[in-house]
Amino acid sequence: MVAKLQAVRGMNDLLPADSPRWRGAEQRLQAVLARYGYEEIRLPLVEPTELFARTIGEVTDIVEKEMYTFQDRNGDSLTLRPEGTAGVVRAGIEHGLFQGQLLRLWYQGPMFRHERPQRGRYRQFHQIGAECFGSAEPELDAELIAMTAQFWRELGLSGLRLELNSLGSREARAAYRERLQAYFRDHQAALDADSLRRLDSNPLRILDSKNPDLAALIAAAPSLPEHLDADSRAHFERLCALLDALGVAYTVNPRLVRGLDYYGRTVFEWVTDALGAQGTVCAGGRYDTLVEQLGGRPTPAIGFALGLERLLDLLAASGIDPATPREIWYLVSAPGACRAQAMLLAQQLRAAADAPTVLLDHSAGNFGKQVQRADKAGARVALILGEDELAGGTITVRMLRAAVTTQETVPRDTIHATVTRLAAQERP
Ligand code: ATP
Ligand code: MG
């Protein structure tokens, strides 16, 4: 007995029944990104482990316990990327992309984190993300956030809410950190193991805890906005005013800190109640010091990543199918010379750039069976080529989706016009 082979736990196959929905959603997001001037960057799935330790932060869930890290045959420590920003910054520095001008980039693809698989949380998941480099102005934050708001309009999604916060400057965060540490020390007995570990190294992370037992304690903790430095406060107020002017609604959530260390000032999340515990669909923020920290010239930046599994789940829960409907024409033919002629015709039809999907039957079965299969394949049109059509240089066009089936035998060079005319007759 050969053991049954299965996909790795938490890593999913995307089957043909679902891929049109995914492609449709991705294409719509990409169309919006293009309208805002974002250009695609494609990066390796594997990076040196050090890159993630230095950017995401040593004392984070991702780096402490979620990374797929391995030694390659040279003994180098490599990691399957758990997120996209670190790689974009690495590539930007390596290829000299940060030259002081505005640079807008987007990426897409699988990310890997060894988390406990559940709805909306997988070990291989997929993100579309965007990063904009070269401006510290709040206008940039507003433009980027407004673009994410446009995503939802584009997809017909409502009910996502925008949560916004400012993490302030590094100095402001350091002062806040001490206050927070003192507070949690006073309540040490109530903390869980993860939070106890963070108490010394990274107390802000406790605010990001998913443990419901800590919710009340976290809600009563000292508030970050009260510790903001004047510049960050002005930046945040300007951002809020800009979002108001753009008609993008938000709520300020003073507990929003995000799970990665590189963020400062603006952070935001798009959250829904429709997906259970994993309700954050899109999340991002400013990271003005990261480029410099990795050895590049000082380059302020802001970005976000959107989880595609959660987005597709939300679309399904909202009854929205983002797939672009496919037009299918199905060739039905008698055997022998008719079949050869059908094959040639299919080839000619497919040569047009705007051709529909043209399917050949390939079963040599009888007409009835072939038409049944055409119907099952979702075809709108059957093109029937029998002995009479072969002899007359014609084709029979049959509309399969009409309430009353219509068909007509016409010269082969009038197929498109015939389909258009018969389709028009379907709708009175
Ligand atoms: P969460 O708080 O849900 O763990 P996160 O803060 O770790 O998310 P980010 O690193 O900011 O997430 O990633 C951005 C987005 O990617 C998330 O908002 C979510 O939509 C998606 N995402 C993150 N981790 C996973 C995962 N393990 N499975 C599926 N989607 C994920
Ligand atoms: Mg996480």
Side-chain angles (χ1 to χ4, degrees):
M1 257 291 274
V2 181
K4 201 161 92 190
L5 286 172
Q6 290 185 321
V8 174
R9 183 164 130 82
M11 305 201 179
N12 300 313
D13 301 309
L14 179 62
L15 300 178
D18 285 325
S19 58
R21 297 196 314 115
W22 277 69
R23 187 148 21 87
E26 288 162 359
Q27 282 170 351
R28 279 163 213 233
L29 297 176
Q30 289 169 15
V32 174
L33 285 159
R35 278 182 245 153
Y36 281 79
Y38 283 76
E39 296 178 290
E40 187 185 10
I41 184 165
R42 298 192 188 192
L43 300 167
L45 301 192
V46 176
E47 297 276 359
T49 302
E50 193 198 346
L51 175 67
F52 301 115
R54 276 174 56 187
T55 55
I56 297 169
E58 298 276 4
V59 194
T60 56
D61 278 348
I62 294 178
V63 172
E64 278 183 338
K65 53 186 188 191
E66 296 175 359
M67 294 208 301
Y68 281 89
T69 297
F70 61 97
Q71 284 206 344
D72 77 355
R73 289 174 189 278
N74 303 327
D76 297 328
S77 180
L78 305 181
T79 293
L80 293 180
R81 64 180 187 191
E83 57 102 54
T85 304
V88 173
V89 172
R90 194 263 312 135
I93 295 171
E94 188 170 333
H95 302 288
L97 302 184
F98 305 129
Q99 300 293 340
Q101 85 293 13
L102 222 55
L103 179 68
R104 296 183 175 90
L105 301 173
W106 69 269
Y107 61 84
Q108 168 175 6
M111 305 293 161
F112 303 85
R113 297 183 194 175
H114 197 275
E115 304 197 66
R116 191 171 68 77
Q118 54 196 292
R119 182 182 183 188
R121 199 173 287 290
Y122 308 98
R123 290 180 175 174
Q124 176 175 323
F125 60 99
H126 298 79
Q127 290 182 335
I128 286 189
E131 319 285 353
C132 187
F133 299 91
S135 170
E137 300 290 311
E139 278 73 7
L140 190 66
D141 310 34
E143 185 185 72
L144 180 107
I145 292 171
M147 176 171 75
T148 57
Q150 182 60 35
F151 285 163
W152 322 134
R153 272 197 296 281
E154 200 77 15
L155 291 162
L157 277 174
S158 54
L160 278 157
R161 80 182 170 272
L162 173 62
E163 298 195 351
L164 205 59
N165 195 21
S166 176
L167 299 179
S169 66
R170 190 187 300 273
E171 297 73 31
R173 273 199 308 287
Y176 174 61
R177 194 192 131 116
E178 299 209 341
R179 278 281 311 276
L180 202 60
Q181 217 159 32
Y183 169 81
F184 284 124
R185 281 221 175 92
D186 289 344
H187 298 86
Q188 203 154 334
L191 295 178
D192 60 12
D194 267 347
S195 303
L196 276 174
R197 221 156 18 88
R198 302 232 150 124
L199 187 52
D200 290 318
S201 53
N202 202 344
L204 262 72
R205 281 290 84 74
I206 302 176
L207 298 180
D208 205 29
S209 166
K210 306 262 184 321
N211 184 348
D213 297 341
L214 296 183
L217 187 66
I218 289 169
S223 173
L224 178 56
E226 287 156 29
H227 296 78
L228 277 194
D229 52 297
D231 284 351
S232 296
R233 187 185 304 276
H235 182 102
F236 192 62
E237 279 165 9
R238 176 85 184 127
L239 169 61
C240 290
L242 289 164
L243 290 175
D244 291 340
L246 290 169
V248 179
Y250 56 85
T251 50
V252 176
N253 174 359
R255 312 282 165 211
L256 185 64
V257 290
R258 313 277 311 109
L260 306 96
D261 270 356
Y262 49 66
Y263 289 117
R265 288 203 171 160
T266 310
V267 287
F268 65 94
E269 290 192 357
W270 284 97
V271 188
T272 172
D273 297 321
L275 298 180
Q278 271 59 248
T280 304
V281 173
C282 174
R286 260 204 178 273
Y287 51 95
D288 289 340
T289 56
L290 183 60
V291 175
E292 192 178 1
Q293 190 189 313
L294 285 185
R297 60 190 278 172
T299 306
I302 182 167
F304 67 84
L306 180 158
L308 283 167
E309 281 79 3
R310 292 183 196 178
L311 177 69
L312 269 295
D313 196 0
L314 180 60
L315 285 165
S318 311
I320 298 169
D321 182 354
T324 311
R326 219 167 38 131
E327 171 79 359
I328 301 173
W329 294 3
Y330 200 100
L331 269 153
V332 170
S333 69
C338 294
R339 197 174 175 192
Q341 192 61 54
M343 200 152 183
L344 179 63
L345 179 59
Q347 189 73 352
Q348 288 163 349
L349 288 170
R350 292 174 186 135
D354 60 349
T357 296
V358 180
L359 297 178
L360 282 162
D361 190 80
H362 292 308
S363 73
N366 67 36
F367 273 13
K369 284 241 172 66
Q370 291 189 41
V371 172
Q372 269 174 22
R373 271 194 294 271
D375 193 51
K376 223 174 144 196
R380 190 167 69 105
V381 176
L383 301 173
I384 303 165
L385 213 158
E387 298 296 345
D388 290 349
E389 285 88 353
L390 184 68
T394 57
I395 188 92
T396 296
V397 178
R398 182 184 294 182
M399 305 302 286
L400 298 175
R401 303 282 158 221
V404 185
T405 309
T406 50
Q407 74 171 46
E408 223 170 275
T409 303
V410 298
R412 269 177 226 153
D413 58 2
T414 65
I415 292 176
H416 283 94
T418 306
V419 168
T420 307
R421 186 162 44 75
L422 293 178
Q425 286 171 15
E426 285 173 15
R427 288 171 236 108

